[in-house]
Amino acid sequence: MNLSQFPRNLQDVPFTFLGLPDPEGGLGEARVCVLPIPYESTTTYRGGTRSGPAAIVDASRYVETFDEEMLWDLADMPILTLPSVSPLLGAAEAMSERIRDVAREVVSRDRLLISLGGEHAITAPLVEAHSEKFGHLTVIHLDAHADLRESYEGSRMSHASVIKRVAEHTDVLSVGVRSISSEEMDWLRNQERVRVVFAHEIRKDQGLLERVLGELTGNVYLTIDADVLDPGVMPGVGTPEPGGLSYDQVVHVIKRLSVGCSIVGADLVELAPVPGNVVSEFTAARIVAKIVAYTKNPV
Ligand SMILES: [Mn+2]
């Protein structure tokens, strides 16, 4: 690859989100904080999510900072890449607490926090920290999997149980699901906290997603499991499921939310880089850049 074709010489670009210099005033000056959480403890199939955050940050340095659609340069916004939350393996509760503490600190100062996983289990403490600050939230959950198991492999903090935990205190809209157990389906039918829009429903009814998103108002927390995307465009995930959403569909959901609701926090999780193929981390970095581009226009 000829680096001279890029506007910046990447050797000189800091290892931060979009390669942007950290704001001089640190957290005090930042509007957006990107938090890498390289936690991997309960991944089911193919591992590697612990390398996800660093791969996304690295790839993001190649993403153009100017948003071609919203017509503003993300370099004009003070974005702070925080130090990684160091993983505590085999101590799910303590790890959750550590994540909750960091998130509380950022959220209490009115910064938009975007966290990079790591496995999906990190979302539960992140949502808690945001709920404390914002009160009622709707969690918008983009994922191939329902993640509604009561527990998985003996853990209630598993990535496969994360939405069940989140739904204990928050409304959830799951989008793009195409893998769910019969027990999860039974539970789903008998409650009103979690609504699932399945991938096959989106396929059959083009307007469905638009109608469901159109009903939403207020504050939303957005959690994106990378495997919601079709593995054709996002091969770097732990548990790939065919029949996923396109990049355009995912970006459209983010845009729609930013118009009808207020995105108060977000995460992108479960990226497990494929050696020799950078498509997944680049796509993930682009999606995170789009969250910033759509949600927080600089004044
Ligand atoms: Mn998933």
Side-chain angles (χ1 to χ4, degrees):
M1 184 185 291
N2 176 12
L3 290 179
S4 67
Q5 67 187 284
F6 286 91
R8 296 167 292 160
N9 183 346
L10 283 159
Q11 273 99 40
D12 302 332
V13 173
F15 199 83
T16 57
F17 186 66
L18 297 175
L20 300 175
D22 286 334
E24 275 175 27
L27 185 56
E29 196 190 314
R31 294 267 308 272
V32 176
C33 291
V34 175
L35 177 64
I37 310 179
Y39 176 64
E40 175 177 5
S41 164
T42 62
T43 304
T44 306
Y45 182 30
R46 180 182 158 268
T49 59
R50 72 176 72 89
S51 337
I56 296 171
V57 171
D58 191 19
S60 78
R61 305 188 312 150
Y62 295 80
V63 170
E64 182 59 70
T65 59
F66 182 74
D67 189 274
E68 83 294 350
E69 184 186 0
M70 305 308 285
L71 303 177
W72 68 275
D73 199 320
L74 276 63
D76 293 338
M77 157 105 53
I79 300 177
L80 174 64
T81 306
L82 293 162
S84 295
V85 179
S86 48
L88 269 169
L89 295 178
E93 276 296 344
M95 184 62 195
S96 282
E97 231 162 85
R98 189 175 278 191
I99 294 167
R100 199 161 40 232
D101 288 347
V102 177
R104 266 186 195 139
E105 167 75 12
V106 175
V107 172
S108 70
R109 288 163 163 244
D110 295 319
R111 312 296 181 238
L112 175 68
L113 177 63
I114 305 180
S115 306
L116 309 177
E119 66 169 70
H120 212 159
I122 67 169
T123 298
L126 290 169
V127 170
E128 270 181 59
H130 285 81
S131 294
E132 285 170 14
K133 162 85 181 174
F134 294 98
H136 180 261
L137 284 179
T138 306
V139 172
I140 311 300
H141 166 228
L142 274 58
D143 199 329
H145 309 92
D147 288 350
L148 286 171
R149 292 176 197 270
E150 184 52 38
S151 68
Y152 192 68
E153 292 177 342
S155 172
R156 283 167 48 85
M157 306 300 290
S158 161
H159 63 99
S161 311
V162 63
I163 297 306
K164 192 71 175 287
R165 293 292 86 76
V166 166
E168 284 167 2
H169 49 90
T170 318
D171 292 328
V172 179
L173 171 66
S174 296
V175 173
V177 173
R178 49 203 190 275
S179 174
I180 187 168
S181 68
S182 63
E183 291 81 6
E184 288 171 292
M185 199 71 209
D186 285 344
W187 181 84
L188 193 61
R189 285 196 189 99
N190 294 303
Q191 53 79 53
E192 292 181 346
R193 260 282 162 75
V194 181
R195 170 159 189 197
V196 176
V197 177
F198 290 92
H200 71 84
E201 295 177 308
I202 298 171
R203 219 161 27 240
K204 277 179 222 137
D205 179 354
Q206 299 287 332
L208 173 66
L209 202 46
E210 204 58 39
R211 292 196 301 277
V212 172
L213 294 172
E215 290 167 13
L216 286 170
T217 53
N219 292 330
V220 299
Y221 181 92
L222 174 63
T223 176
I224 303 175
D225 183 325
D227 66 30
V228 73
L229 289 146
D230 191 82
V233 292
M234 180 58 77
V237 294
T239 319
E241 290 284 349
L245 270 55
S246 69
Y247 169 78
D248 286 340
Q249 282 176 307
V250 169
V251 164
H252 181 72
V253 169
I254 300 168
K255 188 173 186 187
R256 194 71 190 69
L257 291 173
S258 73
V259 173
C261 310
S262 179
I263 299 177
V264 296
D267 63 57
L268 195 155
V269 298
E270 297 283 346
L271 182 91
V274 177
N277 181 344
V278 296
V279 171
S280 304
E281 43 267 43
F282 195 90
T283 303
R286 257 293 179 188
I287 289 171
V288 175
K290 280 293 179 189
I291 296 172
V292 178
Y294 291 145
T295 52
K296 289 262 170 158
N297 284 313
V299 182

